[in-house]
Amino acid sequence: MLVRTPATSANLGPGFDSLGLALSLHDDVEVTLAGDGVSIEVDGEGAEVADRGERHLIVKVLRRAFDALDDLAAAGPGQPAGQPKGIRLRCRNWIPHSRGLGSSSAAIVAGIVAARALHPHGDLMDDDAALRLATDIEGHPDNVAPCLAGGLTIAWTAPDGARLVRLEPQVRQVVAFVPEQRLATERARGLLPGTVPHADAAANAGRAALLVAALSGGLGDGVLLDATEDRLHQNYRAPAMPESAQLVERLRSAGVPAVISGAGPTVLAFTNASRLDSMAPRVGNGWHEHPLDVATRGARVVPGEPDRRT
């Protein structure tokens, strides 16, 4: 079973822990249930954790998803399948790790989607249940939502768990500026204050609403520049990624709507590849530039041969 999951960018400026965008950079995970033990092969990002065995994130998610599906089967018309004896993973990872592009969410969603496809009663877990499980594992829904659904998502947590609304964004292209250095999400979250001024919270609420309208209505760069203004998290996190904060400021001063992607340190600019040359003097060195499309599809099982990786 081959599962393909997209990169994601969360927050998008003012939409802290709620807005997310799926991007055309993907990880491929081939899952085989056979034999005994755990075997993991990794090409690209994350190769250094290929020897974690049962502690590997995708393996842990697969097993948790199988348990959840067994619970659903026991409560319904089916019979529990039990845990698979052996798991073999082959991963080809293009999403940078610890850069604010949703690599952990992609791994979590890959495990859940693979489990639904491989478990004999996988159809008992609908998309809402998959989102709730992914959020329980990740801790917040802003990245797992667009990874599952594609496009632009608004995610929130209700009393019964995470929910999402998917929108079709009119913005089709972005540019991600990815630095060499990594930044752990836990460290970035640790810099946030327990409270913020009421005026800042009010400003972000208005900007987040404007951003949804701008992205889904194609209102242009002028509106997007205002709509991506943030007062809740980016300035507080700037000491952990000063180069990223400075790049955001340089791009915005030039009229380019730019934000920190997720917890950083990647910078996401709402612009297209044709403007890269003109932006070069403001960007400077030390960045990997990735012109990306917005991914309209979320995680999916890729039909065809399992080892087909086109």
Side-chain angles (χ1 to χ4, degrees):
M1 188 66 61
L2 181 62
V3 178
R4 181 163 293 159
T5 52
T8 53
S9 181
N11 302 327
L12 308 180
F16 182 67
D17 275 4
S18 59
L19 298 184
L21 197 65
L23 304 173
S24 62
L25 187 66
H26 296 85
D27 284 352
D28 285 347
V29 179
E30 181 188 314
V31 184
T32 304
L33 305 184
D36 296 315
V38 174
S39 172
I40 303 171
E41 300 175 25
V42 179
D43 292 330
E45 293 280 336
E48 70 278 4
V49 298
D51 61 350
R52 288 189 175 178
E54 291 285 351
R55 296 181 296 115
H56 192 278
L57 179 57
I58 297 178
V59 175
K60 292 194 295 184
V61 173
L62 272 166
R63 295 206 180 279
R64 184 161 171 179
F66 259 76
D67 284 341
L69 285 162
D70 275 352
D71 290 343
L72 291 171
Q79 293 294 321
Q83 284 289 339
K85 293 182 179 180
I87 297 174
R88 184 164 71 245
L89 298 182
R90 293 177 59 199
C91 308
R92 186 177 184 184
N93 297 336
W94 294 102
I95 303 172
H97 282 201
S98 301
R99 305 299 210 294
L101 288 170
S103 60
S104 63
S105 290
I108 290 167
V109 169
I112 293 172
V113 171
R116 288 204 302 181
L118 292 166
H119 193 282
H121 302 292
D123 58 345
L124 295 178
M125 181 182 290
D126 60 17
D127 291 344
D128 291 338
L131 174 65
R132 290 194 296 270
L133 178 58
T135 301
D136 287 344
I137 297 171
E138 177 74 331
H140 38 85
D142 52 350
N143 280 110
V144 295
C147 190
L148 278 164
L152 170 67
T153 57
I154 307 168
W156 70 98
T157 302
D160 60 346
R163 296 182 182 179
L164 71 82
V165 169
R166 183 194 184 281
L167 301 173
E168 193 67 47
Q170 298 304 305
V171 173
R172 297 299 186 185
Q173 292 184 319
V174 297
V175 178
F177 297 95
V178 183
E180 289 288 345
Q181 68 271 21
R182 299 183 176 188
L183 177 63
T185 301
E186 294 78 9
R187 182 186 173 199
R189 283 189 171 270
L191 295 172
L192 299 178
T195 60
V196 296
H198 188 277
D200 289 348
N204 260 57
R207 291 299 193 271
L210 180 62
L211 181 57
V212 171
L215 291 176
S216 59
L219 301 184
D221 284 2
V223 175
L224 269 175
L225 187 63
D226 289 340
T228 50
E229 182 185 359
D230 164 70
R231 298 189 191 178
L232 285 189
H233 65 102
Q234 292 185 161
N235 288 340
Y236 296 109
R237 290 168 162 172
M241 46 182 147
E243 294 86 0
S244 299
Q246 291 163 14
L247 177 56
V248 168
E249 180 60 30
R250 291 196 302 272
L251 290 173
R252 294 184 67 83
S253 296
V256 179
V259 298
I260 297 295
S261 180
T266 291
V267 172
L268 191 77
F270 289 95
T271 187
N272 54 51
S274 65
R275 297 183 62 185
L276 281 178
D277 288 342
S278 64
M279 288 190 292
R282 293 182 176 88
V283 173
N285 299 321
W287 303 91
H288 297 284
E289 300 173 356
H290 292 273
L292 300 171
D293 295 328
V294 173
T296 58
R297 299 181 65 182
R300 64 192 188 278
V301 173
V302 179
E305 295 298 322
D307 61 351
R308 182 180 174 185
R309 295 175 184 251
T310 57

